[in-house]
């Protein structure tokens, strides 16, 4: 997991933007990562992670997120909860 930034940037505006947007899954993942919210790709239509270590692989690194969604463009966006999410 990307531990270089300890705080995430959830805000009512971000939640509204995501809920009311027509963003693609890769764009939604990139938006969350840009707000330092770690994400990980999941099997399309499921909650099962596509990465080896699941939620432990979550990252807010733009390059990592971009590589994942280039590899799996239809992947659902997973967000770890609790301490893993910061």
């Amino acid at each position: 997991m990307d531990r270089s930034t300890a705080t995430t940037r959830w805000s009512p505006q971000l939640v509204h933007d995501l809920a009311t947007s027509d963003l693609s899954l890769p764009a939604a993942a990139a938006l969350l990562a840009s707000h330092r919210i770690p994400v990980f790709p999941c099997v399309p239509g499921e909650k099962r992670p596509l990465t080896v270590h699941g939620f432990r692989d979550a990252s807010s690194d733009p390059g990592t997120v971009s590589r994942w969604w280039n590899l799996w463009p239809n992947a659902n966006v997973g967000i770890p909860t609790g301490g893993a999410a910061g």
Side-chain angles (χ1 to χ4, degrees):
M1 176 165 41
D2 180 31
R3 297 190 191 277
S4 62
T5 55
T7 58
T8 57
R9 300 291 180 190
W10 282 106
S11 70
Q13 185 63 48
L14 176 60
V15 172
H16 177 269
D17 290 350
L18 285 168
T20 61
S21 75
D22 290 330
L23 289 175
S24 66
L25 291 166
L31 177 64
L32 288 166
S34 75
H35 286 269
R36 297 190 307 232
I37 297 167
V39 298
F40 59 95
C42 293
V43 173
E46 297 183 24
K47 297 179 182 181
R48 188 167 33 105
L50 286 164
T51 60
V52 174
H53 302 289
F55 75 89
R56 289 178 190 85
D57 289 329
S59 179
S60 59
D61 175 70
T64 300
V65 172
S66 177
R67 280 190 300 281
W68 282 338
W69 271 269
N70 281 330
L71 185 59
W72 301 299
N74 295 317
N76 280 349
V77 180
I79 302 169
T81 59

